[in-house]
Amino acid sequence: MTTAADVRTGVHGRDAFTDLAIELSPALLAYIARRALDVDAAPEILNDTLFIAWRKRERLPADAVGARMWLFVVARNCIRNHDRAWNRRRMHESSLSELTEAVTSSVDEGGADVRKLVLDLPDGYRELVMLVHWDGFSIVEAARMLGLGESTARTRYARARDRLRAQLEHP
């Protein structure tokens, strides 16, 4: 166990913080794993804890008990931060899942056929049509995004439209 004198000076040629981190890491990892909502993230939270504590090591109390308590408080705060972020991610994932479900259920069979036809277009045509019709860009904006001249984009768009019309009229 680290003594009060060792907390500032360190032992074995290392600085005091490194000694304390090595000594307390197993206990900190267990503490974090028991409290974090995402148990699999415990090593990541331990890493954050040690990094933050290292950045603030000048605040490390001189006595061994105080230093241990201080490090566990840093860990508790890292757990709280991680749990908040984890809850936000889960909330967003849930919202995205509901949105994806709503969008995919609203695609009718005809829409699926058109989608397949668009995806079967050659690369230069496909991306242009998708940008214009699915993503709401103008032909000029899509041309800029694809690094094309406006006239080239208009020509490709017209050819793609003609191909799609022909395939829809005569499958």
Side-chain angles (χ1 to χ4, degrees), residues 113-123 126 163 167:
D113 290 342
V114 170
R115 183 178 195 281
K116 183 181 178 340
L117 292 175
V118 169
L119 292 175
D120 287 342
L121 287 171
D123 289 343
R126 178 179 56 239
R163 279 186 183 202
Q167 289 177 340

Side-chain angles (χ1 to χ4, degrees), residues 78-96:
C78 286
I79 293 167
R80 287 179 178 169
N81 287 340
H82 184 273
D83 286 352
R84 279 193 294 271
W86 189 73
N87 280 330
R88 280 192 303 271
R89 253 190 323 274
R90 288 194 56 208
M91 202 169 61
H92 291 304
E93 287 170 0
S94 174
S95 297
L96 285 174

